[in-house]
Amino acid sequence: MKHLLTVILLSLYIPAQLLECPDICECKWRGGKESVTCSNILLYTLPTLPETTQVLNFSGNHLPSLSPDYFLSAHLVNIQELFLSHSHMEKLDRFSLRGLTNLVRLDLSYNLLGLIPSHSLIYTPQLRELSLSHNPIYEIHDFAFQSMVELVRIDLTGCSVSRIAERAFSPLHRLEKLLLSENKLRALDSRV
């Protein structure tokens, strides 16, 4: 009877969706957030995950592109931190991140993105940290981060960037840290 009472009490504190974690993933409470890790298991698509997922680490899988409404159709609109590094990603569809209005941290490092995915990031108005490091991005165009006015940190380390347009970081008034090491920049115009 005592064990039954313990199980009942514990179930009151653990959301039912967290109990539906796929066997190939790890679901845990970390830092007060429901975190799901499905990394380095060579998946080509997301398995069915708890809808209450707030932190998703899907790094090291095989996602060459993200289709329209990728997370919205999976009912994963509560994601605040998303890790998709080392995923062989070549492009993001314009609407692939639609619905992720609470996203504050996005890691797209070590992929094959050739451009800043500006058109996809308009659906992440709260984004504060963006890592695009070690992608083959050669140029940063004017207003590349225009819709991401909340950004405080951008990591473009090791991207082969050789040119940054004068208004590339307009209107990022909150930007505190911009990492540009290991690029092909010879000089940075003072107007940037």
Side-chain angles (χ1 to χ4, degrees), residues 8-25:
I8 291 171
L9 287 174
L10 282 175
S11 68
L12 294 175
Y13 293 106
I14 302 172
Q17 295 90 342
L18 193 57
L19 298 175
E20 299 170 6
C21 186
D23 291 338
I24 56 175
C25 301

Side-chain angles (χ1 to χ4, degrees), residues 7 18 32 40 42 50 55 79 101 118 139 141 156 161 169 191:
V7 169
L18 193 57
N40 299 310
L42 303 176
V55 178
I79 294 177
T101 56
S118 308
E139 183 175 2
H141 299 284
L156 292 163
V161 174
F169 301 105
R191 295 173 291 183

